[in-house]
Amino acid sequence: MGDSAAELYTTKADFAYLRVKELILSGELVPGSVIAQAQLARDIGISTTPLREALRRLKSEGLVELDAHRDARVAALAAEEARDLLELRRSLDPLAVALAAERRTKADIAAMRAAAQGLDPLPGNPAYAQLVAHRKFHAALYTASHNDLLIQTLDGLWDKADRYRRLALEVERGQDARDRKAAEHEALLEYVIAGDAESAAAVMREHIDTSLGAQAAWRLRKHQAGQTGE
């Protein structure tokens, strides 16, 4: 991508932010790796000034670490963060779909059905577009809650969570597990549209407890325990 692509965005810093975020979430920029800023700026067709602005924004979201010398690296994955994300999602996602079942509008239902079209459980090493499709479906569900603070909170959690999903997918899921996730997506859609808040919340709790995020938290905790000899 060159300047012509960057010019499609409001500012080059916005373009840099979105492009670097995509590189992080797609796994092209590996967790814990140093970001060669001059090379990266050249690769995406901008100067280092908007790139540094983008990196500061990504730091505020916990995706990048910057030190006093302005060196940058992709934030490492951590067992504690994986646990924290899982604990929050266990509480907030069931709440969101329960509210969605009570408050969804015709427009919400249309958006949820559109997002569900062609949605497949994430494969190993998913493309960025597949992560986006997965997010779009879940976002359509929690947006129907019409609770702005809850929507903003779940939006903020999602980018962090995608990095842990990718870690979990390093171990390929069997077809049974993929089929189960597809069935859960269908049930979530059905219960929210039907206005069944209790059933929607119950399916979402199961969805989170057996999620890629839960698997990643378990793997990181096990790895950390092995390092400390616990």
Side-chain angles (χ1 to χ4, degrees), residues 14 19 25 89 93:
D14 287 339
R19 184 70 184 108
L25 298 182
R89 293 200 61 214
D93 282 83

Side-chain angles (χ1 to χ4, degrees), residues 58-84:
L58 290 164
K59 178 187 177 184
S60 73
E61 297 179 5
L63 295 176
V64 165
E65 297 169 354
L66 298 172
D67 66 21
H69 303 289
R70 299 168 85 179
D71 291 333
R73 68 175 60 243
V74 180
L77 300 180
E80 293 81 5
E81 183 176 57
R83 177 204 63 200
D84 293 349

